[in-house]
Amino acid sequence: MDLMLKNVKKKDLPLLKALAKRLGFEIEVQEKPYNPEFVKEILQEEALK
């Protein structure tokens, strides 16, 4: 089973990680990449300046 936590405060993250480790849970961190089209648009705007 997968579990996703949202809106976790930075100060609570170490506690949650420690609890997960203590319970034997596997922790996987996933970064959300920027939308490639958005990045392309921003870079094009910067090039025009």
Side-chain angles (χ1 to χ4, degrees):
M1 174 165 71
D2 293 337
L3 172 68
M4 182 185 308
L5 301 174
K6 294 185 177 186
N7 299 321
V8 175
K9 294 178 184 171
K10 274 190 172 183
K11 69 178 184 84
D12 295 332
L13 193 54
L15 176 63
L16 290 171
K17 283 184 176 181
L19 179 59
K21 185 176 179 181
R22 173 81 181 200
L23 293 172
F25 296 163
E26 181 180 329
I27 300 172
E28 182 179 316
V29 177
Q30 294 181 348
E31 298 291 329
K32 290 185 178 180
Y34 288 108
N35 178 332
E37 289 299 317
F38 174 73
V39 173
K40 183 179 175 182
E41 187 177 312
I42 296 298
L43 292 175
Q44 286 174 346
E45 291 294 325
E46 286 294 317
L48 295 176
K49 289 184 179 179

